[in-house]
Amino acid sequence: MSEYTKVKISDFLTERQGRYKPDEKKIAAYKRLEKIDFSGTIHISEKPTKTDMILVYPGDLVISGINVAKGAVAVYQGKEPVCATIHYSSYVFDEKKVDLEYFKYFVKSPSFVSALQQQVKGGIKTEIKPKHLLPLEITIPDLKAQKEIVKKISENLCNVENLKKEIESQENYTRQLRQNILQEAIEGKLTVEWRKSNPVKKSNPDFDAEALFEQIQKGKKTKNLAPITDEEKSFEIPEGWKWVRLGEIINEPPKNGYSPKSVNFATSTKTLKLGAVTYGIFNPNEYKYINEIIPKDSCYWLKNGDILIERSNSPEYVGICAIYDGKDNEFIYPDLLMKFRVNELLSTELIHKILISSFSRKYFMSKAKGAQKTMPKINQETVVNAMIPLPPLAEQKEIVTKVESLLAKVTELENQIQERKKISVQLMQSVLKNAFDRKI
């Protein structure tokens, strides 16, 4: 039976000393540790920062003060030092007293969380700095037993890792399934049988998109857009449909929002954050307050049915959009968003589904430009020139009904996957709890 000893973490970890201003010459030549992900992988960056820095040397144990208990712990294996912000700490560890893998598993275990809660004011919610970590008292077995525990943990976690990979595969599958449904919808493949019973009726906007388009154009005062060429059409659309540009079917040109300075207290004016739109479904909880009165007749107030589109974000999100479905005059919207309304004859839901399809996403991502690669932008011209495959009115309603029915089934699958994800986390914690409760 192995002997367990109560020790302080400082008995086997020694903090690497030194703190530097981000513009100091001593660290100017070094790259920066950008993050340690929850799998313990270090990511290096050359992006500048205004935060004070530490130096991390090859072989050092590096810990994220914010995410240490989630697994953001790693040994830096580079050939030369790197910088890291003071949200990280770097240590030399005594491998004669502690097995590194044992310690990395330990800091992800309920035992570590319990030690923090008992010995550190604020517990795990505190950013864990050396002054919190090093004095912690923990109970560990001898080195031989540590290595045996690591071996058993690894064997047990192998099944958990296989489950996580399977869940990731299922998540990828449901994401692709969503896009396949949307693509089949905008190509008319979901309504093939419907069209057999509802053939094209010339001059009838319910069954002829050309007639619908002509009706929309009556009295419209926007400038003419360039004709759509055959080279721009990436797929065939059914008879009775029509390729149009978004600017030809919206009431007014898209308008950028307004971004006054936010405040940390409640006022009468709420402005949305980008997160209200980022996932393609409007999130009314993503807002902040401004200490400014916006006139009630201002165009910055949102109306139910407005479409909000991100004109700037990271490349994978720029151009994503959502339908605003809140109360009129409840929110204004920021400068990083644009808003527009589709013609009242059309289905806003269908236009939204076209705009979040992979067909439109590829278009917006290809048009995003700017000096900052991390936050490229699209402009009004890009939005109004986006191509839309326009079905006749009656078919628009049929498409929306079919898509929503199919996507509801995908959502059910996604909910089941999220439950399995929770179980995998619980299994991980159970393995670690058993290990550090001396049950393995």
Side-chain angles (χ1 to χ4, degrees):
M1 183 124 182
S2 13
E3 181 182 345
Y4 277 73
T5 308
K6 180 172 280 191
V7 298
K8 289 184 177 180
I9 290 179
S10 59
D11 290 343
F12 54 83
L13 288 188
T14 304
E15 182 189 2
R16 180 77 70 178
Q17 297 294 319
R19 181 165 172 165
Y20 308 90
K21 294 296 180 184
D23 57 354
E24 280 192 41
K25 289 183 179 179
K26 181 170 181 177
I27 64 171
Y30 297 134
K31 293 182 179 179
R32 182 165 76 86
L33 186 154
E34 183 176 11
K35 71 174 181 177
I36 305 174
D37 63 31
F38 297 160
S39 68
T41 302
I42 289 177
H43 298 263
I44 303 297
S45 169
E46 295 185 3
K47 291 193 295 186
T49 179
K50 295 181 179 179
T51 306
D52 284 0
M53 310 290 279
I54 64 168
L55 276 177
V56 179
Y57 290 83
D60 281 359
L61 177 70
V62 194
I63 292 176
S64 164
I66 299 170
N67 291 313
V68 56
K70 294 181 180 178
V73 180
V75 174
Y76 174 56
Q77 304 284 7
K79 293 182 179 180
E80 61 179 35
V82 290
C83 302
T85 69
I86 54 173
H87 297 299
Y88 293 87
S89 50
S90 183
Y91 305 87
V92 178
F93 60 91
D94 187 343
E95 56 189 15
K96 293 179 181 178
K97 293 182 179 179
V98 67
D99 181 87
L100 181 61
E101 292 304 312
Y102 176 91
F103 184 69
K104 285 164 67 176
Y105 279 134
F106 174 76
V107 296
K108 290 192 281 186
S109 73
S111 298
F112 177 67
V113 174
S114 176
L116 281 174
Q117 289 171 337
Q118 291 173 23
Q119 301 177 52
V120 176
K121 187 177 180 180
I124 195 63
K125 294 180 181 178
T126 302
E127 181 177 340
I128 305 304
K129 295 184 177 295
K131 67 180 181 181
H132 303 121
L133 182 69
L134 295 175
L136 280 182
E137 290 188 337
I138 62 174
T139 302
I140 61 173
D142 58 52
L143 198 58
K144 181 180 178 182
Q146 290 177 34
K147 293 181 183 296
E148 289 173 355
I149 289 172
V150 167
K151 183 180 178 183
K152 290 178 181 179
I153 290 175
S154 299
E155 290 169 356
N156 281 275
L157 289 184
C158 183
N159 292 330
V160 178
E161 287 301 318
N162 288 338
L163 176 59
K164 285 173 65 178
K165 288 178 183 177
E166 183 184 336
I167 290 170
E168 287 174 8
S169 176
Q170 291 171 344
E171 286 180 319
N172 291 334
Y173 168 75
T174 53
R175 278 194 291 269
Q176 189 58 53
L177 186 56
R178 278 186 175 276
Q179 284 303 321
N180 290 347
I181 290 168
L182 292 173
Q183 190 62 33
E184 291 201 348
I186 68 176
E187 290 183 21
K189 293 178 180 178
L190 294 184
T191 43
V192 171
E193 294 303 315
W194 183 89
R195 284 194 300 278
K196 289 178 181 178
S197 304
N198 299 273
V200 177
K201 297 177 183 176
K202 293 295 183 183
S203 302
N204 184 339
D206 278 331
F207 302 97
D208 177 20
E210 188 67 53
L212 172 61
F213 182 74
E214 289 175 2
Q215 194 167 337
I216 291 170
Q217 298 311 297
K218 288 179 181 177
K220 195 170 170 60
K221 296 180 180 179
T222 54
K223 66 177 182 180
N224 292 331
L225 299 171
I228 295 172
T229 64
D230 289 339
E231 289 74 21
E232 291 179 273
K233 301 171 185 177
S234 56
F235 54 85
E236 292 290 327
I237 56 175
E239 182 186 0
W241 289 33
K242 180 178 176 63
W243 281 108
V244 300
R245 297 199 186 276
L246 185 59
E248 295 173 316
I249 60 168
I250 61 179
N251 292 339
E252 296 177 351
K255 183 172 181 59
N256 294 351
Y258 174 57
S259 291
K261 188 176 181 180
S262 62
V263 292
N264 60 2
F265 55 89
T267 69
S268 60
T269 308
K270 296 185 287 189
T271 182
L272 295 177
K273 300 178 184 178
L274 271 182
V277 174
T278 297
Y279 298 102
I281 299 173
F282 176 66
N283 182 352
N285 299 315
E286 287 286 323
Y287 67 87
K288 54 191 176 183
Y289 293 100
I290 60 168
N291 193 21
E292 195 167 326
I293 301 298
I294 306 296
K296 287 301 178 184
D297 60 351
S298 169
C299 61
Y300 295 120
W301 288 108
L302 290 165
K303 306 291 184 186
N304 195 294
D306 285 341
I307 292 182
L308 289 162
I309 186 166
E310 294 193 0
R311 72 184 194 91
S312 181
N313 202 335
S314 55
E316 68 270 27
Y317 291 119
V318 65
I320 198 74
C321 66
I323 302 172
Y324 175 69
D325 60 358
K327 294 186 296 185
D328 287 358
N329 287 25
E330 182 179 7
F331 297 101
I332 64 169
Y333 64 106
D335 185 55
L336 293 179
L337 294 176
M338 284 186 248
K339 78 166 183 179
F340 58 88
R341 292 182 75 87
V342 301
N343 186 277
E344 55 276 3
L345 291 174
L346 302 175
S347 165
T348 301
E349 289 78 11
L350 177 66
I351 303 305
H352 171 248
K353 286 173 171 54
I354 295 172
L355 291 174
I356 62 171
S357 70
S358 57
F359 165 70
S360 293
R361 296 295 306 120
K362 288 175 185 175
Y363 166 77
F364 287 122
M365 290 168 71
S366 70
K367 296 293 184 181
K369 308 292 181 188
Q372 290 186 317
K373 291 183 180 179
T374 55
M375 287 284 284
K377 293 181 179 180
I378 55 173
N379 56 25
Q380 286 94 335
E381 184 179 357
T382 296
V383 174
V384 299
N385 279 290
M387 288 170 52
I388 298 288
L390 184 68
L393 280 178
E395 193 167 357
Q396 288 183 31
K397 296 174 184 176
E398 183 69 14
I399 291 170
V400 169
T401 299
K402 285 187 175 294
V403 169
E404 290 183 347
S405 174
L406 290 169
L407 291 183
K409 294 176 181 177
V410 177
T411 299
E412 286 181 21
L413 284 175
E414 289 169 337
N415 290 338
Q416 292 171 14
I417 291 168
Q418 289 306 308
E419 285 302 312
R420 296 191 74 194
K421 207 169 188 178
K422 290 178 186 176
I423 291 170
S424 73
V425 172
Q426 291 167 357
L427 285 173
M428 169 81 80
Q429 288 299 299
S430 178
V431 168
L432 296 175
K433 185 176 188 300
N434 288 338
F436 296 105
D437 281 354
R438 311 183 198 180
K439 293 179 182 176
I440 287 186

